[in-house]
Amino acid sequence: IARTSAAPRRAQATATPTATLPSAGLQGQQDLLSLVNRLDEMPWNAEQFSLVNTIDSAYWRLGSNTPGEADVITVTLPADLLESFFGNNAATRIRRVEVEMALTTYEPSLLDSDDVYFGVLLTEADNPAQTAGMHIQLVQPGVINLAQRSGDQTQTVSQRAVNAVVIRARLERDPASGAITLFFNGEQIGGAIQFVSPDAAVLPTLYVKSPGVIVSVTGWSVTLR
């Protein structure tokens, strides 16, 4: 996978006031798209990840067709933002990440260089190069590779024929070891990926090849212990 270039410095995200949180913080499944929709400022370029409303539905558009410094657009929710909304060291309490994404458009010439891809990760808060998650690559129309991603390395573990590139991905974090297990549309993909300790702070992350690949995000959540 291409390395992500350093992103330009952006304003710190700010949120609208929230109700007082319980001392143990919020627990269970939490909707990250609802969280993002409440922000006054985004911790990323809003043109690269933004809400789109149509007559029939709404979704978040991730990606860009404009050349820029980065080969990959990455959207990560910072630890302080998670803390503001969920409390009690929320980034250390993440046990599951779920996302629903669909490939919307892509530049056909990118297929020749295997550059039509996107994915979902957990990122170590103290070391952003340390990641684990699922990498989805379009091989040809109607065929995708599913890969495990660890850091900058990807390993394909399954190839699927699909009518449309619509993904329901789940990352499960083992409460004893911290290892990550991947699920695609409810089916486990490969073995567990060794990751950081189960009490380390981790951050939910989405990414997409840039420019030329656009995906829609209709669900994004974390489950907190």
Side-chain angles (χ1 to χ4, degrees):
I1 185 170
R3 292 184 178 272
T4 305
S5 302
R9 186 182 180 89
R10 299 190 178 96
Q12 178 68 34
T14 58
T16 54
T18 58
T20 302
L21 296 168
S23 59
L26 297 184
Q27 298 175 319
Q29 188 175 46
Q30 308 296 330
D31 186 338
L32 296 181
L33 294 182
S34 176
L35 180 161
V36 173
N37 203 32
R38 294 164 62 186
L39 298 179
D40 298 319
E41 278 188 280
M42 305 295 183
W44 50 74
N45 184 337
E47 294 181 358
Q48 297 176 347
F49 186 53
S50 59
L51 180 62
V52 176
N53 288 294
T54 68
I55 295 175
D56 299 322
S57 63
Y59 63 91
W60 287 79
R61 179 185 184 273
L62 174 61
S64 175
N65 288 318
T66 303
E69 295 182 359
D71 293 326
V72 179
I73 291 172
T74 302
V75 171
T76 300
L77 292 182
D80 58 352
L81 187 60
L82 297 174
E83 186 68 17
S84 296
F85 279 84
F86 305 143
N88 191 26
N89 298 311
T92 68
R93 299 188 292 114
I94 293 175
R95 288 296 172 259
R96 178 185 301 139
V97 177
E98 297 178 83
V99 67
E100 297 179 6
M101 308 172 75
L103 179 61
T104 304
T105 61
Y106 62 91
E107 170 55 49
S109 63
L110 293 175
L111 279 176
D112 296 335
S113 55
D114 298 328
D115 277 337
V116 180
Y117 60 78
F118 57 96
V120 54
L121 304 168
L122 280 171
T123 299
E124 184 180 8
D126 293 333
N127 180 12
Q130 182 80 359
T131 63
M134 185 182 297
H135 179 85
I136 300 98
Q137 177 206 347
L138 184 68
V139 179
Q140 63 187 52
V143 179
I144 59 173
N145 282 344
L146 301 176
Q148 294 183 335
R149 178 174 167 184
S150 180
D152 283 334
Q153 302 301 312
T154 61
Q155 180 178 1
T156 299
V157 294
S158 181
Q159 187 171 92
R160 304 295 174 90
V162 294
N163 293 322
V165 185
V166 179
I167 305 301
R168 288 188 300 110
R170 185 169 89 245
L171 278 54
E172 293 276 359
R173 190 181 186 195
D174 187 278
S177 69
I180 305 298
T181 302
L182 310 182
F183 295 84
F184 168 77
N185 294 350
E187 176 188 345
Q188 183 173 332
I189 300 298
I193 305 171
Q194 296 306 307
F195 194 42
V196 295
S197 73
D199 295 324
V202 295
L203 309 175
T205 301
L206 304 177
Y207 68 91
V208 65
K209 168 64 181 176
S210 180
V213 181
I214 305 294
V215 297
S216 62
V217 183
T218 52
W220 191 19
S221 68
V222 292
T223 299
L224 306 174
R225 63 171 173 83

